[in-house]
Amino acid sequence: MKYTVVPALNDEEFGQKAADVFIKAIEGFQSPPSVILPTGDTPLPFYDSLVDRAKASGLSEFYYCQLDEYLGLHAGHEKLFINQMKKNLLDPLNIRVRLAFESAANPGHMIDNVISRFSYAGHPDLAVIGIGGNGHVGFNEPGSAFEDGVRVVTLSEQTIYDNSQNWDLAQHGEFPTRAITLGISDLKKARQTILLVRGEKKANILARALTGPIGPSVPASYLQEQQNVTVVADMGALSQMSPDIVFK
Ligand code: GLP
């Protein structure tokens, strides 16, 4: 077993423990590390904690690298992942965006150019990721090969259903069906990985990802072959994991 589990009792503790692991990780790199960061509900307590810490003592510098993005939304759309990242973390921490899919968010823009910029960006130092209800990471849906790199993808029905729960059609328009994502091969290059998981609804997929068969049907299962992985999860998310693994 190559991963360490950090259990949290509630959202506040989850945010603090994730921030502890993150700060220790970025301080361990000699020059400012390149860091992949996720969107979704899961990381919000972590981002709140990082913003609080930054106000109190400052944070070491890091370069932000976007994990994934919807295609087809206009640049100012509030559901665009880059806009959520700016609001929740990048603006409060005053982090200059280094590598983002912004120009790919609008239909007709040069998606190929964006893909090649990412492909040549080299190795990320730290990948912070979440997990989708079907085991996706970024937008690497079930069936994605571990060799896949950054690319445009079609979202699965389950992801469209899950992610559209807080989507108001009148306010936000049609839900996107396509996205751009770093591939599992890009994530595998990270020197260190932090997986963030909250909520009992993720318990089954988390257990399958970390202890089930390794392969494309559960994209997050690539983590079992990855070195230097820390899983920060609440007790709901850990409820189907063996206590031997959680409290070893
Ligand atoms: C989205 C994103 C992922 C994210 C996942 C979990 O589809 N593409 O990067 O990790 O869903 O989201 P949540 O934390 O809201 O459950």
Side-chain angles (χ1 to χ4, degrees):
M1 179 124 34
K2 294 173 190 134
Y3 52 87
T4 305
V5 179
V6 177
L9 291 177
N10 52 46
D11 288 350
E12 191 183 351
E13 192 176 279
F14 174 90
Q16 287 170 356
K17 287 190 167 179
D20 288 343
V21 174
F22 178 83
I23 289 167
K24 192 169 170 211
I26 60 170
E27 287 178 351
F29 292 103
Q30 295 204 324
S31 54
S34 53
V35 177
I36 296 167
L37 289 167
T39 42
D41 288 337
T42 305
L44 294 178
F46 162 56
Y47 293 154
D48 285 347
S49 185
L50 280 183
V51 171
D52 284 349
R53 303 275 185 100
K55 280 185 202 147
S57 60
L59 277 187
S60 299
E61 197 186 345
F62 62 89
Y63 299 138
Y64 167 68
C65 181
Q66 193 167 7
L67 173 60
D68 53 6
E69 185 59 279
Y70 290 125
L71 287 176
L73 305 181
H74 67 81
H77 200 290
E78 67 177 274
K79 294 288 190 182
L80 213 53
F81 287 165
I82 188 65
N83 292 334
Q84 294 179 32
M85 287 303 302
K86 283 179 178 168
K87 178 173 150 226
N88 295 325
L89 190 75
L90 302 176
D91 288 350
L93 293 191
N94 199 21
I95 287 170
R96 196 149 57 91
V97 173
R98 291 292 170 132
L99 200 46
F101 292 122
E102 280 178 288
S103 57
N106 294 310
H109 274 195
M110 301 290 286
I111 289 173
D112 285 350
N113 278 351
V114 177
I115 289 175
S116 61
R117 276 203 302 137
F118 272 78
S119 301
Y120 291 111
H123 288 214
D125 293 299
L126 174 63
V128 185
I129 56 173
I131 183 170
N134 60 359
H136 74 229
V137 176
F139 277 128
N140 292 280
E141 296 281 29
S144 304
F146 287 0
E147 295 76 27
D148 283 345
V150 59
R151 69 203 185 286
V152 172
V153 294
T154 300
L155 300 179
S156 70
E157 280 183 22
Q158 186 180 340
T159 295
I160 291 174
Y161 176 80
D162 289 347
N163 291 15
S164 62
Q165 293 310 298
N166 296 321
W167 188 282
D168 177 351
L169 272 182
Q171 187 187 349
H172 301 123
E174 285 295 313
F175 192 88
T177 56
R178 294 197 316 151
I180 188 164
T181 186
L182 296 186
I184 299 290
S185 73
D186 304 304
L187 297 170
K188 284 177 83 167
K189 290 176 189 159
R191 295 183 172 87
Q192 189 167 348
T193 304
I194 302 173
L195 171 65
L196 304 176
V197 199
R198 277 197 302 136
E200 203 172 343
K201 67 179 180 189
K202 298 280 178 72
N204 183 261
I205 195 63
L206 178 65
R208 285 174 61 201
L210 296 183
T211 61
I214 301 171
S217 60
V218 180
S221 64
Y222 86 92
L223 290 168
Q224 293 185 52
E225 296 177 331
Q226 194 73 356
Q227 301 292 330
N228 210 356
V229 176
T230 304
V231 181
V232 184
D234 68 10
M235 301 315 280
L238 291 169
S239 57
Q240 292 190 31
M241 296 277 291
S242 151
D244 300 349
I245 295 174
V246 177
F247 299 108
K248 72 183 160 102

